Amino acid sequence: MTTVTTTRPASRPVPVREVADRPPRSDRRAGLLLSTPFLIVYLVFLVGPLLMGIVLSFFNTTTVKDGLGAWVGVSNYTKVVKDSLFWDALWHSVLFTLITTPLLVLLALLAAVLASRIRRGRVFYRLAFFAPYVVPSSVVALIFLWMYTPQVGLLPKLFGAVGLAPPDFLGSTSGGWTAVILMTLWWTFGFNFVLYTAAIQDVPPDVYEAAAIDGASPWQQIRLITVPLLRPTTSLVLILQILASLKVFDQIYLLLGGGPNQSTRPVIEYIYDTGFTSYRGGYGAAATMVYFVLIVAVSAAWYALRRRGVTRAATRTVPTTATLATTPAAPRAGA
Amino acid sequence: MGGAMTRRRLLALGGGLALTGGLSACSSPLASGLTGSQPDAADVIFWNLFTGGDGANMVLMEDAFRTSHPGVSLEATILGWGNPYYTKLALATASGTPPDVGISHLSRLPLLAAAGLLEPVDEVGVTDLGITADRFTPAAWKKATVDGTVYAVPLDTHPFVLFYNVDLARKAGLLDASGDGLKPMARSTDFIDALKAMKDAGASYGAAMSITADPSTAWRYFSMIYSGLAGPVVTDSGTATDIDAPAMEETFAFMQSLTGPGLMPKELNGSGANVLFSTGKAGFLFDGEWQIPSYRLVKGLHFNVVPFPALLGPKPVAYADSHALVVPRNPGRSAARTALAARFIRSVLDHSATWAHGGHVPAWLPIQRSKGFLDQSPQRNYVQAAFNAQYDPVAWYTGAGSDFQNTVGATIIEVLAGRLGPAGAVAAMRADLGRYTTARPPVTMK
């Protein structure tokens, strides 16, 4: 009896520690319950189709007939891998990503910094930079199509007005790429701009105040305070932008139809063309899987790099944050 | 605890009641969605892909059916043009919930028929309503026939035609004595001279067409010229490439003889062609007759439309396609419903003079020869094009807006833009076609 009473108080801290480590069971159940709608949607519309796609990719499935069609083994995959047009299309998606990602990140950062330092009409600039992002791609494509139209469009006319030969924006490969990248920059950079604007607002004004009192020029403030403090945002913007750019489809499809001579056709349009336009569902599914693996690999590589970067930087950033935390105190006391 | 149970039970009971209530009302969309049956929304369910002017004309024809068939309800659904439409039609039919009547391009018919998605029209009972081969444009009826069985009732023929600016043509001396048409053109040289004359009469270009990023138009144009010299580019239901290399080189060389010296722009998209022709900066326009309604709206533009003359080869050829009425296969459709579908088809044919306002040539001869149609100008001018119609070759991958048209059209655009010579283009076409003739077909075709 006595042993029991002595052990009881000793065992008590155990559930208490458990509570500290993990939320109580009722909380966990509530969490699960709250996320159930999402999990159902996730399973039905994401995991389900993905598994279905994997199955389809081994059959000669077609969209015009019920059922899976004949078993073809891995031949859909071998045909996709051997198709030069698939690799061309894949390269177009990668090329688009390589060109647009740095531009969209840098321009958004630049615009966000400028818009935050401006004194008058800040709301106007924020709105102006973000406004294009809310326009649907079909509308943007229509507007730009008119601007690029050979002979009668705004841009060819402008070139003509200053005596320059207008580039063939829609009919040549280089012109097509230029056209689609300019349009994408104008249309999508507002999203990154908003992320950066939000992050800039999170930087305590005291830091700038202190720097200004220490004699830092605006450029030094941007270079030594804003940009380093925005590093987590930059990392997020980068991966979001890479994934978004790799998924490019609508603006190229609407503006150029993947032309001229399929020289701008992104891989998603290749999948759409074979899977839907040519009714070759199984083949399209195989192409999708190849691309899916590629995108997952990019995301995983990015995640791994970031984790390594974070752990390495952690030791280095500690003194920096410490100084940053202490410096505001001094000027405030002085003021 | 007990209270919670009762509440739960009450909710479960309520839900069950609501569900049975929904299921017992068989016509509700929820019930049909749960049981996978076709919603009995109307006596005839009709799917089409017509918007704009064509869409408005189709609504008039649907209303005509409603007026002549009081008590029969008709539900017409308009779906997005092109591939989305065909995907939906195929998937709905494959899953057992098709419409009673649908629209299909005849160029898309071979695959739909081979996939077993369509009822042969004989079995639908349209023959008893007088819908027989002898009362249709022969080329369209033939194209509606797949492997000896007729799977569609052709509604129209919509050929690729020659638009011209009447004022410029008069100035260029191209009009015939009556002033209602063009002077006859015998060969490609006459045609080139006509373009030059248009340019001399003050147009910036002899002719214009949509080239840039418009592979389907490029393919129609090519197909028309090449067909004057040689047979289809693929044979055996699309499993073999059949290229007449000299004919194809000649075709490409002719195309470049127009774009090369600036008689036509090398780069121009649809809206550009529209502007050039509307503003009198191009004498001719190469396009489908379906553009007539949009040019009618242009104030001050006097234009006319005629079939293309023979360009290469002895006889004129018109590249064309047709809209047709099909009855998607549905084992669960009642005989009464099928009979109503057949009557709807007949009614649409009988009102196809309305349809012709969109520029299309009615395939139903009683209307094609009626005053209601023959009073329509310029539509009556190019009826012959329906009889000279050259359709896409039979294959699982051809047809309106197909991936095939995009691929071969892209090569033709390169030729028109002057980036690819005739010999190189033949090799490129061979490679393009090879991709499709060697690919595994989604369905087996005879």
Side-chain angles (χ1 to χ4, degrees):
Chain A
M1 275 305 262
T2 41
T3 40
V4 174
T5 39
T6 46
T7 46
R8 271 225 171 125
S11 67
R12 227 171 232 162
V14 179
V16 170
R17 209 186 296 149
E18 213 175 58
V19 168
D21 285 346
R22 302 171 59 186
R25 228 172 91 198
S26 62
D27 273 17
R28 271 184 282 143
R29 216 173 57 179
L32 199 69
L33 216 71
L34 282 171
S35 45
T36 304
F38 166 75
L39 283 177
I40 289 172
V41 169
Y42 186 76
L43 283 175
V44 172
F45 292 105
L46 221 122
V47 178
L50 180 67
L51 295 177
M52 192 70 190
I54 294 172
V55 173
L56 292 186
S57 66
F58 296 104
F59 290 86
N60 183 27
T61 309
T62 161
T63 41
V64 289
K65 254 188 169 171
D66 204 4
L68 283 173
W71 167 264
V72 293
V74 292
S75 74
N76 277 335
Y77 285 95
T78 51
K79 285 195 174 182
V80 168
V81 173
K82 274 192 204 149
D83 187 358
S84 63
L85 285 186
F86 172 76
W87 293 109
D88 287 349
L90 193 64
W91 166 240
H92 298 148
S93 290
V94 171
L95 182 69
F96 179 82
T97 308
L98 288 176
I99 298 174
T100 53
T101 306
L103 285 173
L104 280 168
V105 173
L106 286 175
L107 284 177
L109 175 63
L110 189 75
V113 168
L114 290 179
S116 72
R117 296 193 81 85
I118 214 150
R119 278 163 207 279
R120 251 185 267 169
R122 194 182 288 175
V123 177
F124 167 77
Y125 286 102
R126 281 190 189 156
L127 195 72
F129 283 136
F130 184 64
Y133 187 73
V134 298
V135 183
S137 57
S138 51
V139 175
V140 176
L142 206 63
I143 296 169
F144 276 75
L145 206 55
W146 271 107
M147 298 208 308
Y148 291 135
T149 293
Q151 317 283 341
V152 293
L154 176 70
L155 284 174
K157 290 241 157 152
L158 279 180
F159 272 88
V162 292
L164 289 171
D168 185 2
F169 283 111
L170 302 176
S172 71
T173 306
S174 58
W177 278 112
T178 313
V180 89
I181 284 162
L182 285 179
M183 176 182 136
T184 307
L185 287 183
W186 179 83
W187 175 43
T188 61
F189 109 117
F191 182 69
N192 295 345
F193 170 79
V194 162
L195 289 182
Y196 271 127
T197 302
I200 285 172
Q201 281 168 340
D202 276 352
V203 177
D206 319 3
V207 183
Y208 293 108
E209 213 178 310
I213 285 167
D214 286 348
S217 69
W219 170 238
Q220 278 175 322
Q221 289 177 26
I222 291 171
R223 199 164 55 91
L224 298 171
I225 299 173
T226 314
V227 174
L229 284 180
L230 290 181
R231 195 172 287 156
T233 309
T234 304
S235 158
L236 174 77
V237 164
L238 253 180
I239 187 63
L240 286 181
Q241 190 54 57
I242 288 172
L243 293 180
S245 288
L246 280 174
K247 287 193 291 185
V248 65
F249 170 66
D250 43 1
Q251 62 263 50
I252 295 185
Y253 182 73
L254 291 168
L255 194 68
L256 304 161
N261 206 5
Q262 301 178 333
S263 61
T264 59
R265 180 165 74 160
V267 69
I268 302 210
E269 194 187 331
Y270 174 90
I271 291 165
Y272 173 81
D273 284 347
T274 49
F276 289 102
T277 328
S278 291
Y279 307 112
R280 298 168 71 197
Y283 183 85
T288 311
M289 288 309 145
V290 175
Y291 192 51
F292 175 69
V293 167
L294 210 103
I295 288 198
V296 169
V298 169
S299 315
W302 180 261
Y303 188 68
L305 275 174
R306 241 188 89 197
R307 278 193 71 172
R308 228 172 52 186
V310 166
T311 43
R312 204 184 292 161
T315 43
R316 269 188 289 131
T317 45
V318 167
T320 331
T321 35
T323 39
L324 278 173
T326 48
T327 34
R332 200 182 276 161
Chain B
M1 194 66 182
M5 276 299 280
T6 23
R7 199 173 61 213
R8 242 179 244 168
R9 199 195 243 160
L10 187 75
L11 283 172
L13 270 173
L17 277 175
L19 198 66
T20 34
L23 284 175
S24 59
C26 270
S27 57
S28 96
L30 173 74
S32 64
L34 288 171
T35 57
S37 64
Q38 187 180 28
D40 264 346
D43 299 323
V44 180
I45 295 173
F46 172 51
W47 280 12
N48 68 71
L49 36 67
F50 301 120
T51 51
D54 278 351
N57 289 333
M58 188 46 86
V59 168
L60 292 176
M61 293 155 78
E62 289 156 6
D63 287 344
F65 173 78
R66 288 191 186 102
T67 314
S68 59
H69 292 76
V72 179
S73 58
L74 167 73
E75 184 191 272
T77 305
I78 300 165
L79 299 160
W81 189 90
N83 301 312
Y85 174 79
Y86 287 104
T87 311
K88 284 182 191 113
L89 184 67
L91 287 177
T93 309
S95 62
T97 54
D100 300 312
V101 180
I103 289 284
S104 169
H105 286 86
L106 285 184
S107 62
R108 287 275 191 148
L109 200 67
L111 178 79
L112 295 175
L117 293 179
L118 305 176
E119 304 274 7
V121 294
D122 279 353
E123 292 170 25
V124 181
V126 292
T127 322
D128 302 336
L129 297 176
I131 298 176
T132 46
D134 55 312
R135 302 176 86 180
F136 285 89
T137 312
W141 190 263
K142 193 175 156 224
K143 185 68 185 171
T145 312
V146 179
D147 198 33
T149 310
V150 186
Y151 284 99
V153 176
L155 172 60
D156 67 27
T157 307
H158 47 272
F160 192 70
V161 286
L162 187 63
F163 288 68
Y164 65 92
N165 182 311
V166 175
D167 299 333
L168 279 168
R170 186 176 296 119
K171 233 190 269 177
L174 294 173
L175 293 185
D176 60 14
S178 70
D180 195 34
L182 290 177
K183 281 180 188 164
M185 288 183 263
R187 283 179 310 277
S188 59
T189 44
D190 285 3
F191 191 69
I192 294 172
D193 287 342
L195 261 65
K196 283 182 182 153
M198 283 289 198
K199 215 174 160 175
D200 294 339
S204 309
Y205 294 101
M209 71 177 271
S210 173
I211 296 171
T212 308
D214 191 353
S216 288
T217 302
W219 163 248
R220 291 178 193 122
Y221 177 52
F222 166 85
S223 202
M224 173 184 75
I225 306 172
Y226 177 77
S227 300
L229 293 170
V233 289
V234 291
T235 52
D236 295 336
S237 298
T239 54
T241 310
D242 186 6
I243 285 181
D244 182 337
M248 199 174 271
E249 268 192 55
E250 194 182 338
T251 304
F252 286 135
F254 170 72
M255 291 169 130
Q256 291 196 329
S257 71
L258 301 185
T259 50
L263 289 172
M264 287 172 77
K266 286 180 183 175
E267 293 113 12
L268 194 68
N269 64 2
S271 31
N274 195 318
V275 169
L276 286 188
F277 187 67
S278 301
T279 54
K281 288 186 177 132
F284 290 105
L285 173 79
F286 306 168
D287 212 331
E289 40 72 1
W290 55 86
Q291 298 285 7
I292 287 175
S294 54
Y295 286 106
R296 278 243 171 82
L297 300 173
V298 181
K299 279 205 180 106
L301 173 70
H302 302 114
F303 73 96
N304 202 353
V305 181
V306 288
F308 269 93
L311 293 172
L312 304 179
K315 280 192 290 187
V317 180
Y319 174 88
D321 204 338
S322 290
H323 297 117
L325 297 145
V326 293
V327 178
R329 176 156 288 174
N330 183 2
R333 188 184 290 122
S334 68
R337 231 182 142 77
T338 309
L340 282 178
R343 286 179 55 193
F344 174 68
I345 291 175
R346 174 68 203 250
S347 168
V348 168
L349 292 179
D350 286 340
H351 292 93
S352 52
T354 306
W355 186 240
H357 289 133
H360 317 303
V361 180
W364 179 235
L365 293 180
I367 290 293
Q368 199 188 90
R369 290 167 184 161
S370 72
K371 194 173 175 301
F373 172 70
L374 290 172
D375 281 348
Q376 293 184 32
S377 176
Q379 282 90 329
R380 59 164 181 255
N381 296 349
Y382 51 83
V383 170
Q384 194 51 39
F387 288 81
N388 300 334
Q390 191 68 47
Y391 291 84
D392 262 13
V394 175
W396 60 266
Y397 44 79
T398 50
S402 57
D403 189 26
F404 164 82
Q405 286 194 351
N406 290 340
T407 309
V408 295
T411 300
I412 299 158
I413 290 170
E414 292 296 289
V415 175
L416 289 167
R419 289 188 289 263
L420 196 59
V426 172
M429 281 290 270
R430 209 182 282 282
D432 290 343
L433 296 171
R435 306 181 55 74
Y436 293 95
T437 53
T438 58
R440 185 189 297 120
V443 287
T444 340
M445 291 184 58
K446 280 174 194 162

